[in-house]
Amino acid sequence: MPTSCDVTDHDSSSETVVLVVEDDSAIADALVAELTAHGYVVVLARTGRAALDAVGARAPDAVLLDLGLPDLDGVHVCRSLRQALPSVPIVMLTARDTEIDIVVGLDAGATDYVTKPFSTHVLLARLRAHLRSATTVPPSGDLVFDELRIDADGFRCYLSGSEVALRPKELSLLIRMASSAGRVLSRSQLLDDVWDMSWETGTNTLEVHVHALRQKLGPRADGRPWITTVRSLGYRFEP
Ligand code: CA
């Protein structure tokens, strides 16, 4: 008899648990086989409700979340999972690849997304990268990019050895973005992480701070920008 929540392999705290939320049997079976072959412990939930129950039973280290679920809206499930698991990578699996769907998913707390059909090799590589960055928080020590050095412990920032006068929130924002260098961070994620504010359509706080950072840091010596605006998605600190 098929169950909505199957646990494969044995329980051990040293293992990496991946919650797979997927109702399509072919995709779910392929993911479970591939993840298990790579040494992950897989919890499979075939419905949104089963996913939320599974998280209550055992917190996973990462989540692969299909957005098209039979019972609950995938974005709603994503938001609930993010509340329950503040620092766990959530990768959305979506057949919907329009910009607005991706924005909605990222705003609901997803870390990343892949569009169907996807390569399991690419998905696993992304998963490994997210698991690595999830285990390297909080940022400490120096973050160094070309002539920029950010001393996260001392809460200071230097350009070619000279300290840059940044306001505390500007520096917090820079540390947050630089510690996820190369990744697009959504507007609401940055507001949430740096200001502890949820999505507020009226505020331009973030834009003001990004503008100030750009002014104070200037361009790189090679002319490239430090921070790129990714239209309607958010911002990316360039590694
Ligand atoms: Ca589906």
PDB file of all heavy atoms in Angstrom, residues 21-24 27 46 66-70 93 95 116, ligand 1:
ATOM      1  N   VAL A  21       9.608  16.540  -1.539  1.00  0.00           N
ATOM      2  CA  VAL A  21       8.159  16.736  -1.594  1.00  0.00           C
ATOM      3  C   VAL A  21       7.763  16.705  -3.056  1.00  0.00           C
ATOM      4  O   VAL A  21       8.038  17.651  -3.807  1.00  0.00           O
ATOM      5  CB  VAL A  21       7.753  18.077  -0.948  1.00  0.00           C
ATOM      6  CG1 VAL A  21       6.235  18.159  -0.833  1.00  0.00           C
ATOM      7  CG2 VAL A  21       8.424  18.265   0.402  1.00  0.00           C
ATOM      8  N   GLU A  22       7.178  15.615  -3.487  1.00  0.00           N
ATOM      9  CA  GLU A  22       6.907  15.411  -4.921  1.00  0.00           C
ATOM     10  C   GLU A  22       5.804  14.381  -5.069  1.00  0.00           C
ATOM     11  O   GLU A  22       5.900  13.285  -4.527  1.00  0.00           O
ATOM     12  CB  GLU A  22       8.196  14.944  -5.612  1.00  0.00           C
ATOM     13  CG  GLU A  22       8.056  14.561  -7.067  1.00  0.00           C
ATOM     14  CD  GLU A  22       7.577  15.696  -7.951  1.00  0.00           C
ATOM     15  OE1 GLU A  22       8.404  16.573  -8.290  1.00  0.00           O
ATOM     16  OE2 GLU A  22       6.372  15.717  -8.281  1.00  0.00           O
ATOM     17  N   ASP A  23       4.752  14.731  -5.799  1.00  0.00           N
ATOM     18  CA  ASP A  23       3.642  13.794  -5.973  1.00  0.00           C
ATOM     19  C   ASP A  23       3.782  12.959  -7.242  1.00  0.00           C
ATOM     20  O   ASP A  23       3.128  11.926  -7.376  1.00  0.00           O
ATOM     21  CB  ASP A  23       2.299  14.540  -5.998  1.00  0.00           C
ATOM     22  CG  ASP A  23       2.216  15.522  -7.156  1.00  0.00           C
ATOM     23  OD1 ASP A  23       3.144  16.340  -7.295  1.00  0.00           O
ATOM     24  OD2 ASP A  23       1.250  15.456  -7.926  1.00  0.00           O
ATOM     25  N   ASP A  24       4.618  13.388  -8.154  1.00  0.00           N
ATOM     26  CA  ASP A  24       4.804  12.621  -9.392  1.00  0.00           C
ATOM     27  C   ASP A  24       5.716  11.434  -9.103  1.00  0.00           C
ATOM     28  O   ASP A  24       6.895  11.603  -8.772  1.00  0.00           O
ATOM     29  CB  ASP A  24       5.433  13.544 -10.445  1.00  0.00           C
ATOM     30  CG  ASP A  24       5.599  12.852 -11.792  1.00  0.00           C
ATOM     31  OD1 ASP A  24       6.193  11.746 -11.834  1.00  0.00           O
ATOM     32  OD2 ASP A  24       5.153  13.421 -12.798  1.00  0.00           O
ATOM     33  N   ILE A  27       9.176  11.063 -10.988  1.00  0.00           N
ATOM     34  CA  ILE A  27      10.203  12.017 -10.548  1.00  0.00           C
ATOM     35  C   ILE A  27      10.647  11.673  -9.129  1.00  0.00           C
ATOM     36  O   ILE A  27      11.843  11.665  -8.820  1.00  0.00           O
ATOM     37  CB  ILE A  27       9.668  13.465 -10.623  1.00  0.00           C
ATOM     38  CG1 ILE A  27       9.370  13.842 -12.081  1.00  0.00           C
ATOM     39  CG2 ILE A  27      10.669  14.440 -10.017  1.00  0.00           C
ATOM     40  CD1 ILE A  27       8.679  15.178 -12.249  1.00  0.00           C
ATOM     41  N   ARG A  46       4.494  12.864  -0.365  1.00  0.00           N
ATOM     42  CA  ARG A  46       3.798  12.967  -1.656  1.00  0.00           C
ATOM     43  C   ARG A  46       2.722  14.050  -1.662  1.00  0.00           C
ATOM     44  O   ARG A  46       2.083  14.286  -2.693  1.00  0.00           O
ATOM     45  CB  ARG A  46       3.168  11.607  -2.009  1.00  0.00           C
ATOM     46  CG  ARG A  46       4.190  10.494  -2.135  1.00  0.00           C
ATOM     47  CD  ARG A  46       3.511   9.137  -2.372  1.00  0.00           C
ATOM     48  NE  ARG A  46       4.445   8.032  -2.168  1.00  0.00           N
ATOM     49  CZ  ARG A  46       5.291   7.581  -3.079  1.00  0.00           C
ATOM     50  NH1 ARG A  46       5.312   8.138  -4.279  1.00  0.00           N
ATOM     51  NH2 ARG A  46       6.097   6.585  -2.810  1.00  0.00           N
ATOM     52  N   ASP A  66       8.478  20.256  -4.788  1.00  0.00           N
ATOM     53  CA  ASP A  66       7.661  20.441  -5.989  1.00  0.00           C
ATOM     54  C   ASP A  66       6.608  21.498  -5.682  1.00  0.00           C
ATOM     55  O   ASP A  66       5.981  21.460  -4.627  1.00  0.00           O
ATOM     56  CB  ASP A  66       6.997  19.100  -6.333  1.00  0.00           C
ATOM     57  CG  ASP A  66       6.021  19.210  -7.486  1.00  0.00           C
ATOM     58  OD1 ASP A  66       6.207  20.070  -8.359  1.00  0.00           O
ATOM     59  OD2 ASP A  66       5.052  18.417  -7.504  1.00  0.00           O
ATOM     60  N   LEU A  67       6.428  22.456  -6.580  1.00  0.00           N
ATOM     61  CA  LEU A  67       5.436  23.508  -6.312  1.00  0.00           C
ATOM     62  C   LEU A  67       4.013  23.086  -6.681  1.00  0.00           C
ATOM     63  O   LEU A  67       3.054  23.642  -6.176  1.00  0.00           O
ATOM     64  CB  LEU A  67       5.800  24.798  -7.071  1.00  0.00           C
ATOM     65  CG  LEU A  67       6.947  25.633  -6.503  1.00  0.00           C
ATOM     66  CD1 LEU A  67       7.013  26.965  -7.227  1.00  0.00           C
ATOM     67  CD2 LEU A  67       6.826  25.853  -5.001  1.00  0.00           C
ATOM     68  N   GLY A  68       3.887  22.100  -7.555  1.00  0.00           N
ATOM     69  CA  GLY A  68       2.554  21.662  -7.981  1.00  0.00           C
ATOM     70  C   GLY A  68       2.117  20.433  -7.199  1.00  0.00           C
ATOM     71  O   GLY A  68       2.360  19.306  -7.614  1.00  0.00           O
ATOM     72  N   LEU A  69       1.487  20.666  -6.070  1.00  0.00           N
ATOM     73  CA  LEU A  69       1.111  19.560  -5.184  1.00  0.00           C
ATOM     74  C   LEU A  69      -0.399  19.326  -5.239  1.00  0.00           C
ATOM     75  O   LEU A  69      -1.153  20.238  -5.556  1.00  0.00           O
ATOM     76  CB  LEU A  69       1.548  19.883  -3.748  1.00  0.00           C
ATOM     77  CG  LEU A  69       3.067  19.966  -3.548  1.00  0.00           C
ATOM     78  CD1 LEU A  69       3.401  20.537  -2.180  1.00  0.00           C
ATOM     79  CD2 LEU A  69       3.702  18.595  -3.724  1.00  0.00           C
ATOM     80  N   PRO A  70      -0.826  18.092  -4.926  1.00  0.00           N
ATOM     81  CA  PRO A  70      -2.249  17.778  -5.078  1.00  0.00           C
ATOM     82  C   PRO A  70      -3.153  18.408  -4.018  1.00  0.00           C
ATOM     83  O   PRO A  70      -4.335  18.612  -4.263  1.00  0.00           O
ATOM     84  CB  PRO A  70      -2.288  16.248  -4.988  1.00  0.00           C
ATOM     85  CG  PRO A  70      -1.068  15.876  -4.216  1.00  0.00           C
ATOM     86  CD  PRO A  70      -0.037  16.916  -4.550  1.00  0.00           C
ATOM     87  N   LEU A  93      11.205  22.802  -7.096  1.00  0.00           N
ATOM     88  CA  LEU A  93      11.168  22.102  -8.371  1.00  0.00           C
ATOM     89  C   LEU A  93       9.899  22.592  -9.053  1.00  0.00           C
ATOM     90  O   LEU A  93       8.807  22.391  -8.544  1.00  0.00           O
ATOM     91  CB  LEU A  93      11.076  20.588  -8.163  1.00  0.00           C
ATOM     92  CG  LEU A  93      12.003  19.973  -7.108  1.00  0.00           C
ATOM     93  CD1 LEU A  93      11.708  18.478  -6.953  1.00  0.00           C
ATOM     94  CD2 LEU A  93      13.459  20.180  -7.507  1.00  0.00           C
ATOM     95  N   ALA A  95       7.623  23.457 -12.730  1.00  0.00           N
ATOM     96  CA  ALA A  95       7.406  23.414 -14.173  1.00  0.00           C
ATOM     97  C   ALA A  95       7.121  24.824 -14.662  1.00  0.00           C
ATOM     98  O   ALA A  95       7.153  25.109 -15.841  1.00  0.00           O
ATOM     99  CB  ALA A  95       6.232  22.499 -14.499  1.00  0.00           C
ATOM    100  N   LYS A 116      11.576  22.089 -14.263  1.00  0.00           N
ATOM    101  CA  LYS A 116      11.397  20.769 -14.859  1.00  0.00           C
ATOM    102  C   LYS A 116      11.310  20.909 -16.378  1.00  0.00           C
ATOM    103  O   LYS A 116      10.705  21.868 -16.850  1.00  0.00           O
ATOM    104  CB  LYS A 116      10.105  20.131 -14.338  1.00  0.00           C
ATOM    105  CG  LYS A 116      10.122  19.831 -12.853  1.00  0.00           C
ATOM    106  CD  LYS A 116       8.771  19.246 -12.443  1.00  0.00           C
ATOM    107  CE  LYS A 116       8.763  18.922 -10.956  1.00  0.00           C
ATOM    108  NZ  LYS A 116       7.466  18.385 -10.510  1.00  0.00           N
TER     109      LYS A 116
HETATM  110 CA    CA B   1       3.527  17.883  -8.991  1.00  0.00          CA
END
